[in-house]
């Protein structure tokens, strides 16, 4: 799958997340988020928490940020915007699933071979829970 434009870098907010939808190799739609980084680049991850994988980080109105980290509204886990590593909370040490993006000439492109761009915004068909493991909810 080739590079597909997601949005202009200027459309990615500095104080919350930009939501978009991709399709995986099986054609399943998944939501993903873009995060504006302090160096002018952008990172991207699938839109679900590592604590309870059926919980979306961005529920359609932007996931909150604290000191540049993404905050899960459910139990306040925080994830580094650049690495996706959980630095605080019940899933500390876990990492968000990355989606490869690249910034070129002021635009953000999806460059991940595992995903195809579908649209900006949410996808009603995303079940959030990407795991087939019934133990996907870590103990809390
Ligand atoms: S579901 Fe996100 S911190 Fe618990």
């Amino acid at each position: 799958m080739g590079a597909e434009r997601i949005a202009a870098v200027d459309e990615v907010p500095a104080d919350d997340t930009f939501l978009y939808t991709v399709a995986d190799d099986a054609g399943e739609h998944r939501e993903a988020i873009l995060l504006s980084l302090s160096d002018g680049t952008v990172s991207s991850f699938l839109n679900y928490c590592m604590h309870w994988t059926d919980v979306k980080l961005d529920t359609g109105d932007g996931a909150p940020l604290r000191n540049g980290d993404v905050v899960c509204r459910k139990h306040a886990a925080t994830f580094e915007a650049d690495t996706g590593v959980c630095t605080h909370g019940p899933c500390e040490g876990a990492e968000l699933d990355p989606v490869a993006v690249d910034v070129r000439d002021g635009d953000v492109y999806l460059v991940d071979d595992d995903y195809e761009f579908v649209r900006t915004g949410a996808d009603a068909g995303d079940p959030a829970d990407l795991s087939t493991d019934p133990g996907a909810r870590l103990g809390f």
Side-chain angles (χ1 to χ4, degrees):
M1 300 173 193
E4 296 162 282
R5 183 184 178 280
I6 302 170
V9 174
D10 291 347
E11 294 178 77
V12 183
D15 54 356
D16 59 25
T17 52
F18 181 99
L19 186 62
Y20 70 106
T21 298
V22 296
D24 64 18
D25 287 340
E28 295 288 325
H29 286 190
R30 301 296 183 197
E31 291 178 4
I33 53 174
L34 295 177
L35 286 152
S36 177
L37 304 179
S38 56
D39 65 359
T41 60
V42 171
S43 64
S44 184
F45 305 94
L46 292 183
N47 183 31
Y48 69 98
C49 185
M50 284 289 131
H51 179 216
W52 287 0
T53 56
D54 56 346
V55 172
K56 295 181 180 183
L57 296 168
D58 184 334
T59 53
D61 53 353
L65 302 185
R66 184 188 304 142
N67 299 326
D69 292 348
V70 188
V71 181
C72 176
R73 289 184 173 101
K74 195 79 174 176
H75 308 109
T78 57
F79 300 89
E80 286 183 337
D82 53 349
T83 65
V85 172
C86 178
T87 55
H88 175 79
C91 50
E92 191 168 334
E95 296 177 33
L96 298 175
D97 276 338
V99 178
V101 295
D102 195 16
V103 173
R104 295 177 207 160
D105 300 327
D107 290 316
V108 187
Y109 289 87
L110 176 67
V111 294
D112 197 312
D113 288 340
D114 292 335
Y115 302 108
E116 193 170 341
F117 179 70
V118 174
R119 71 173 75 84
T120 58
D123 188 86
D126 182 350
D129 187 353
L130 306 183
S131 171
T132 56
D133 176 2
R137 286 189 167 197
L138 300 178
F140 180 62

